[in-house]
Amino acid sequence: MRILLVEDETEFAKAMRGALERDRFVVDWADNLELASEASRSGVHELVLLDRTLPDGDGLSLIPQLRADNPGVPIIVLSARGELADRVAGLDNGADDYLVKPFDLEEMLARIRAVQRRPNELAPDEIVVGDLVFDVAFGEARVHGTQLILQRREVAVLTALMRRRGRVVPRETLEEAVYGFDDAIQSNTLDSHISRLRRKFSDSDAGVEIHTVRGVGYLLRVQD
């Protein structure tokens, strides 16, 4: 599972990130709303841990964008604002859970497992474009019943394209999906992944194409 952690307290965020990574989660960390907004646009996160009190505003203001970029993504609010009115506001604004600081890391992990178990009607199990069927949970692609052999970074690119099928995905968004929020981006590597995906789609007669929108990004669509 890939998690977006939105938290401005550095030491607290490091402790949380370490605990999550020990539990084999992949964590992208943003310490303000602007960075979190950029990370959200990739649409690759399977859960968001969202602080409320951030340097540039209330974390609850980010929830509409999180839902637009990645429908159905579970959101757990983490906040020292623990009054009843604060908890109600968090849940009424679209959070799936609200955890009051300070809390035990084991409780946080338990709550993550709890939201993972909930049925998600907004996030489809499979996405179909042309003859390409993509299993969101397992990151597997099939064409005419045959699984495509994809490298890990190709899966990351395809996940972002499939989740935003029919819409232009900015190049920067795809690079963030491939490398992770904190990794150094290598020049022209994204082009190589796109090229290999195109070849695999063509060889398997998937009936889809990745269209280049020059100067902007890429668009996954049914082949003309």
Side-chain angles (χ1 to χ4, degrees), residues 24-35:
R24 293 185 293 183
F25 293 104
V26 177
V27 181
D28 294 324
W29 173 33
D31 62 3
N32 59 57
L33 286 174
E34 183 179 2
L35 287 175

Side-chain angles (χ1 to χ4, degrees), residues 66-86:
L66 293 170
R67 296 294 189 209
D69 291 333
N70 192 353
V73 63
I75 300 170
I76 300 177
V77 171
L78 313 174
S79 178
R81 298 165 63 175
E83 297 296 326
L84 176 60
D86 294 316

Side-chain angles (χ1 to χ4, degrees), residues 179-196:
Y179 288 104
F181 202 55
D182 296 327
D183 295 340
I185 296 174
Q186 300 178 22
S187 176
N188 298 324
T189 304
L190 176 62
D191 300 314
S192 298
H193 297 316
I194 294 290
S195 178
R196 284 195 293 269

Side-chain angles (χ1 to χ4, degrees), residues 61-214:
S61 67
L62 184 66
I63 291 179
Q65 182 189 331
L66 293 170
R67 296 294 189 209
D69 291 333
N70 192 353
V73 63
I75 300 170
I76 300 177
V77 171
L78 313 174
S79 178
R81 298 165 63 175
E83 297 296 326
L84 176 60
D86 294 316
R87 301 197 305 272
V88 169
L91 297 170
D92 280 349
N93 276 275
D96 296 277
D97 200 353
Y98 195 106
L99 188 55
V100 178
K101 298 176 182 177
F103 53 80
D104 190 273
L105 290 173
E106 286 302 318
E107 180 181 3
M108 180 191 68
L109 293 171
R111 292 189 183 228
I112 290 174
R113 292 191 293 269
V115 297
Q116 283 183 281
R117 290 193 296 268
R118 296 175 188 171
N120 188 345
E121 297 177 357
L122 295 176
D125 295 328
E126 292 185 339
I127 301 173
V128 180
V129 180
D131 293 313
L132 177 66
V133 180
F134 185 70
D135 187 309
V136 177
F138 292 96
E140 295 177 351
R142 302 187 307 277
V143 177
H144 307 303
T146 300
Q147 184 176 336
L148 299 183
I149 305 302
L150 301 176
Q151 299 177 11
R152 179 174 61 87
R153 296 190 188 275
E154 291 170 5
V155 171
V157 173
L158 183 57
T159 299
L161 289 170
M162 290 293 280
R163 283 180 168 164
R164 304 183 73 176
R165 57 206 177 277
R167 292 184 289 166
V168 177
V169 183
R171 183 181 182 89
E172 294 80 7
T173 298
L174 291 172
E175 289 175 336
E176 289 172 4
V178 169
Y179 288 104
F181 202 55
D182 296 327
D183 295 340
I185 296 174
Q186 300 178 22
S187 176
N188 298 324
T189 304
L190 176 62
D191 300 314
S192 298
H193 297 316
I194 294 290
S195 178
R196 284 195 293 269
L197 284 171
R198 284 171 168 159
R199 184 168 61 252
K200 290 174 182 179
F201 294 160
S202 176
D203 291 345
S204 62
D205 194 23
V208 299
E209 63 181 2
I210 301 175
H211 175 67
T212 301
V213 181
R214 193 171 301 278

